[in-house]
Amino acid sequence: MRDAVTSLIQNYDLAGRYFDRNAMDSLKAYFASGQARIAIAGMITSNAAEIVKTASARLFEQVPELLAPGGNAYTTRRYSACLRDLDYYLRYASYALVAADNDVLSERVLEGLRETYNSLEVPIGPTVQGIAIMKDVVKEMADAAGVADTGLVDAPFDYICRDFGEKDI
Ligand code: CYC
């Protein structure tokens, strides 16, 4: 599992090189964004249940058939599995946000997930939609809390959506 610093070290070590100007620039950018990353992660931690609740309500409004008989979130067992999954994506996104690296998402979340969803007939399209909605909810919240750089929020959520969504045709 890597973060912005360990990824950089690994790349430069593989090449046997000292950090150059590019490396210094990316280190500076990482440390300069540190306070904002921590502020957003703290905000996610304190509001996780609220974020999942708001995002799932929007998702079920947009795709009501998920909750109808035959839908994959129908029955309380599947409904709660769905909320739980959204909570997993949110929690891991907060880790990746602090790390400024998506490696934790590949390693701990996305590896094998597609196969699991396919075997249980959990639809990937609406799941990706739900993750994108969570991104919006987190950004709205960060904006309301006065975080200047809410663009930081995009990377982990977009990464999950891209990796999970792109092969879904
Ligand atoms: C099921 N989601 C599962 C399962 C796994 C995950 C492993 C099968 C085992 C179980 O039910 O617990 C996902 N597990 C994870 C993830 C992690 C993990 C991400 C973090 C590392 O440990 N159904 C919908 C919605 C969507 C949904 C679109 C919510 C957005 O219609 C989710 N996931 C969903 C549902 C199930 C599930 C309903 C249960 C499916 C079933 O058993 O029939």
Side-chain angles (χ1 to χ4, degrees):
M1 195 177 17
R2 293 196 301 266
D3 57 43
V5 176
T6 53
S7 288
L8 202 66
I9 292 173
Q10 184 168 13
N11 290 342
Y12 279 75
D13 187 33
L14 274 174
R17 294 171 57 202
Y18 281 92
F19 286 144
D20 55 15
R21 179 178 280 271
N22 285 340
M24 295 304 177
D25 285 348
S26 50
L27 285 169
K28 272 187 207 155
Y30 174 58
F31 288 113
S33 66
Q35 292 294 344
R37 291 179 188 281
I38 292 168
I40 300 166
M43 193 200 72
I44 292 175
T45 298
S46 316
N47 297 285
E50 180 70 27
I51 294 165
V52 169
K53 189 175 153 189
T54 307
S56 64
R58 284 189 205 169
L59 174 66
F60 293 133
E61 207 175 280
Q62 291 173 17
V63 195
E65 52 277 23
L66 291 172
L67 287 179
N72 193 265
Y74 178 67
T75 74
T76 46
R77 182 186 67 79
R78 283 195 294 260
Y79 179 83
S80 71
C82 185
L83 299 187
R84 181 212 55 197
D85 282 10
L86 289 175
D87 188 67
Y88 284 146
Y89 298 124
L90 182 63
R91 179 163 59 88
Y92 281 98
S94 78
Y95 298 158
L97 181 69
V98 169
D101 194 295
N102 294 320
D103 191 51
V104 63
L105 299 172
S106 304
E107 187 183 302
R108 301 285 166 92
V109 181
L110 294 162
E111 173 83 42
L113 188 60
R114 170 167 294 274
E115 291 72 15
T116 305
Y117 268 36
N118 285 341
S119 70
L120 290 167
E121 293 176 7
V122 177
I124 292 174
T127 302
V128 166
Q129 199 171 335
I131 295 166
I133 295 171
M134 281 204 298
K135 174 179 86 168
D136 293 341
V137 172
V138 171
K139 287 179 86 166
E140 287 161 20
M141 211 174 241
D143 195 38
V147 175
D149 194 1
T150 61
L152 289 172
V153 172
D154 289 334
F157 292 96
D158 287 351
Y159 184 80
I160 303 175
C161 291
R162 250 194 332 269
D163 190 272
F164 203 23
E166 70 184 0
K167 303 150 218 154
D168 183 36
I169 303 152

